Amino acid sequence: MPKSREHVRPLAEEETVKAQSRRLRGTIAEGLKDLVTGALSEADTKLLKFHGAYQQDDRDLRLERQGQRLEPAYAFMVRVRMPGGVCTPAQWQGLTGLARERGNGTLRITTRQTFQFHGILKADLKPLMAELGALGLDSIAACGDVNRNVICHNHPATSPVVREVRTLAADLSAALLPRTAAYRETWWDEPAAGAAGAEEEPLYGPTYLPRKFKIGIAVPPLNDVDVLAQDLGFIAIIEEGRLVGFNVAVGGGMGASHGDGATYPRLADLIGFCVPGQVLAVAEQVMRIQRDHGDRTNRRHARLKYTLDDHGVAWFKAELENRLGFALGPVRDYRFETRSDRLGWVEDREGRLHLTLRVLAGRLQDEAACRRLTALAEVARLHEGDFRLTPNQNLTISGVQSSRKSVIEAVFARHGVPIPIEPEEGVRRHAIACVSFPTCGLAMAEAERALPGFLERLEAVLHTLGLSGVAISVRLSGCPNGCARARLAEIGLVGKSPGRYVLYLGGGFAGERLNTPYRDKLTFDEVIAVLTPLLADYAVHRGPSERFGDFVIRAGHLGAPDLPASPPLKEGVPL
């Protein structure tokens, strides 16, 4: 029987906005011409995300401007679509110029392996988008209720299949793009081929997905992409140096809301194995299931993880195989050992050199002692390889000729940019932070700006305890939405209010286990005070190669000694 009217839940507001948007056009083009205000309409800001941009304001100035009866200091963030995190030297130079001319003078590497521009004024938004296009780049689907930037492991020296994986990431990104011409019309002034808003969206339909969708491709033993945190994860299976296929993982996601038990982080479930030629079909059908069955009434309950929990993993797998027309194979064995990047100079099997720089919290900028943005632009003018971003917010200058190594080192030395030397260890290497204040509208507490100071204090404690060189993952997030994937850290801090954090402990070092809330509403002083005795206990009683996240569980600090441990590090595997 049909449900009675009183039991039919209304659609979320965003669903109506999408349905009436004329395939994501809205009135964005008209709103950009109105420079009386620095903002767009509320409906257009929702649609703008599909174009890869967020309307924000400077929250450091918000109260002051309210007191002066001024509108907020609006600016825009633009996120580039860059599957696999790879760009050319020419693109790097262009991106640097845009950051200086149109943004706030910085480029930020995100945990989704791409760039964000910050501080873009409304009048500069369309010119920046047009100039991105001239560089062969765009920002479509970098945000919004669609498949977002596809991430993958991309260091050429770590595995013989990296090139195949990177190609697959690009193919997935292209295959899962929206088909609307709205982006090209709005930002590049390309004329519509037909009636605006009449395009077919064979994959997404007229209202796209219920929420965002994220894909990651991991290459064991490295899990730098945090593959179990993705809506859809592919775990490469390599036999005798050959890529034979992928384990398929579905339903990961880190976002939650404080005080709302109906929202939660979730690790993806492994549901089977597919060969490389089946990956695109699997991805498309997983997205179609989410399109058709995801919750469109409550956006807090609209990610794929909730669809799986509502219907069951067995139902989801059966539905997927029915739509595919073939069965997935049994899950194959694999092992993750670390999520860390290989820092410093590394030579690959073909004799090419690759230099990975650590970029704390991903912010590329010129500061008094370290002119990193200028140095990298200078390197880009002489480099003939490419630039590769990592999900750990670091940067690899890839494919360096041996004759250019000393030249590049001299550029960095001249601009005060340190070059890591392996083995380099400690908490700083494994630290991640989201942007948070002053630009993120969801921020509840500091993250990026607070990370250096917090690490200095934590490192002082570790030094006193003789733990300076021990690898411990630390992640700092300004809110519970999960951009820094703090719920997968051995020490995770999630902002709850200005200056106050929830402390989480016990995550798996390789990203295979969620952590557990340990203390609530702590200041940084209190966090350090709480961690110090735990770390002291770890220094004295840890087992050989035992990770801190495993120790706090085994020692009973979290009251759950039977949880699975993360794997110890094998000799010779990069940290």
Side-chain angles (χ1 to χ4, degrees):
M1 294 180 62
K3 293 182 179 179
S4 61
R5 184 177 299 273
E6 59 268 25
H7 290 108
V8 176
R9 298 174 64 188
L11 293 175
E13 178 185 356
E14 283 79 1
E15 295 301 310
T16 301
V17 170
K18 288 183 285 185
Q20 297 176 351
S21 70
R22 298 181 302 124
R23 296 295 192 272
L24 306 180
R25 291 169 174 82
T27 57
I28 295 174
E30 295 81 358
L32 291 170
K33 298 174 183 177
D34 179 10
L35 298 183
V36 174
T37 173
L40 295 173
S41 71
E42 182 178 355
D44 284 341
T45 61
K46 297 180 187 299
L47 298 175
L48 191 66
K49 296 176 184 179
F50 291 82
H51 298 249
Y54 279 79
Q55 180 176 293
Q56 301 177 330
D57 72 282
D58 189 330
R59 295 182 63 181
D60 287 345
L61 302 177
R62 186 180 288 180
L63 291 178
E64 176 184 339
R65 292 180 70 86
Q66 286 177 352
Q68 297 174 355
R69 297 185 179 180
L70 298 173
E71 79 169 7
Y74 289 117
F76 294 83
M77 179 271 280
V78 172
R79 185 178 296 148
V80 182
R81 183 177 66 92
M82 191 177 288
V86 179
C87 68
T88 67
Q91 289 172 332
W92 187 282
Q93 292 180 69
L95 291 166
T96 301
L98 287 175
R100 288 170 167 161
E101 297 162 15
R102 305 290 185 186
N104 65 358
T106 75
L107 283 170
R108 191 172 191 280
I109 303 172
T110 78
T111 56
R112 290 215 66 76
Q113 208 172 19
T114 185
F115 284 121
Q116 287 181 176
F117 296 97
H118 289 269
I120 304 163
L121 299 180
K122 187 177 181 179
D124 285 316
L125 188 54
K126 185 169 181 176
L128 181 139
M129 296 290 208
E131 290 160 17
L132 273 182
L135 293 172
L137 298 168
D138 59 56
S139 63
I140 187 171
C143 318
D145 299 342
V146 287
N147 175 59
R148 298 192 176 186
N149 197 54
V150 180
I151 65 176
C152 69
H153 177 68
N154 65 14
H155 197 297
T158 58
S159 171
V161 306
V162 165
R163 185 174 300 172
E164 293 175 79
V165 166
R166 177 196 162 195
T167 299
L168 180 59
D171 290 345
L172 280 166
S173 180
L176 303 178
L177 281 176
R179 300 306 175 199
T180 176
Y183 185 91
R184 298 188 297 277
E185 290 175 22
T186 302
W187 308 109
W188 299 348
D189 292 325
E190 292 187 7
E199 308 100 321
E200 292 295 322
E201 287 281 13
L203 175 58
Y204 288 107
T207 52
Y208 300 87
L209 297 180
R211 278 298 299 272
K212 59 188 175 183
F213 191 92
K214 298 179 178 181
I215 297 177
I217 309 172
V219 181
L222 300 169
N223 186 26
D224 51 348
V225 304
D226 276 327
V227 70
L228 299 181
Q230 312 298 322
D231 292 276
L232 174 59
F234 293 101
I235 301 170
I237 303 300
I238 303 167
E239 296 177 357
E240 298 180 351
R242 185 174 66 89
L243 178 66
V244 297
F246 299 88
N247 284 339
V248 180
V250 292
M254 294 293 101
S257 298
H258 287 309
D260 183 356
T263 66
Y264 45 84
R266 185 186 193 278
L267 293 182
D269 286 292
L270 292 168
I271 61 170
F273 171 87
C274 68
V275 299
Q278 296 171 331
V279 167
L280 292 180
V282 169
E284 179 178 329
Q285 294 306 329
V286 168
M287 288 180 60
R288 286 179 181 271
I289 295 173
Q290 171 64 354
R291 178 198 67 189
D292 297 342
H293 294 277
D295 189 344
R296 293 183 181 270
T297 67
N298 178 6
R299 286 182 67 80
R300 291 186 175 185
H301 187 256
R303 291 288 296 275
L304 178 62
K305 61 184 177 181
Y306 301 117
T307 306
L308 260 76
D309 285 345
D310 288 347
H311 294 274
V313 175
W315 170 89
F316 187 92
K317 182 179 180 182
E319 179 70 12
L320 174 61
E321 292 178 338
N322 180 59
R323 293 185 183 221
L324 287 169
F326 61 84
L328 297 175
V331 172
R332 302 200 183 185
D333 291 338
Y334 70 96
R335 181 181 178 85
F336 287 135
E337 293 172 345
T338 184
R339 290 178 285 180
S340 178
D341 298 327
R342 296 188 67 174
L343 299 179
W345 288 104
V346 179
E347 184 175 349
D348 67 19
R349 296 169 179 81
E350 300 174 8
R352 296 171 302 182
L353 296 173
H354 311 275
L355 172 61
T356 301
L357 302 175
R358 185 179 60 201
V359 185
L360 189 62
R363 185 71 64 173
L364 295 171
Q365 59 188 332
D366 284 350
E367 298 177 298
C370 181
R371 295 174 54 81
R372 188 175 271 116
L373 200 62
T374 294
L376 288 167
E378 189 172 328
V379 168
R381 288 193 290 271
L382 57 89
H383 181 42
E384 296 180 355
D386 54 36
F387 291 81
R388 303 187 176 208
L389 312 182
T390 83
N392 290 312
Q393 301 177 303
N394 295 321
L395 164 67
T396 300
I397 303 168
S398 180
V400 176
Q401 299 177 12
S402 58
S403 61
R404 299 285 176 89
K405 179 181 178 182
S406 61
V407 178
I408 289 174
E409 289 180 333
V411 171
F412 287 137
R414 188 165 61 252
H415 292 286
V417 179
I419 295 177
I421 300 175
E422 290 279 18
E424 182 178 286
E425 205 35 83
V427 294
R428 189 170 295 260
R429 176 171 186 167
H430 301 272
I432 289 177
C434 69
V435 174
S436 196
F437 288 115
T439 54
C440 180
L442 300 176
M444 298 177 178
E446 294 282 1
E448 177 187 337
R449 296 193 298 194
L451 182 64
F454 176 75
L455 289 178
E456 288 177 6
R457 299 180 64 180
L458 183 59
E459 286 168 334
V461 172
L462 293 169
H463 176 74
T464 300
L465 297 172
L467 296 173
S468 294
V470 175
I472 300 175
S473 66
V474 176
R475 295 183 175 182
L476 179 55
S477 180
C479 81
N481 284 278
C483 295
R485 300 192 287 271
R487 292 298 310 275
L488 282 172
E490 292 178 289
I491 300 174
L493 293 171
V494 176
K496 194 162 188 180
S497 62
R500 299 279 178 172
Y501 299 83
V502 183
L503 171 62
Y504 293 85
L505 297 176
F509 182 78
E512 76 294 349
R513 183 180 63 236
L514 291 171
N515 51 28
T516 301
Y518 187 72
R519 294 287 188 274
D520 195 6
K521 299 180 183 178
L522 299 183
T523 65
F524 282 139
D525 287 342
E526 292 166 338
V527 170
I528 295 297
V530 168
L531 287 175
T532 298
L534 298 177
L535 291 166
D537 191 19
Y538 175 60
V540 174
H541 297 110
R542 60 185 170 135
S545 301
E546 186 173 24
R547 302 296 187 182
F548 179 67
D550 299 334
F551 173 80
V552 294
I553 295 171
R554 180 181 65 80
H557 293 298
L558 300 182
D562 57 341
L563 288 178
S566 57
L569 190 68
K570 288 183 178 178
E571 185 176 355
V573 175
L575 287 170

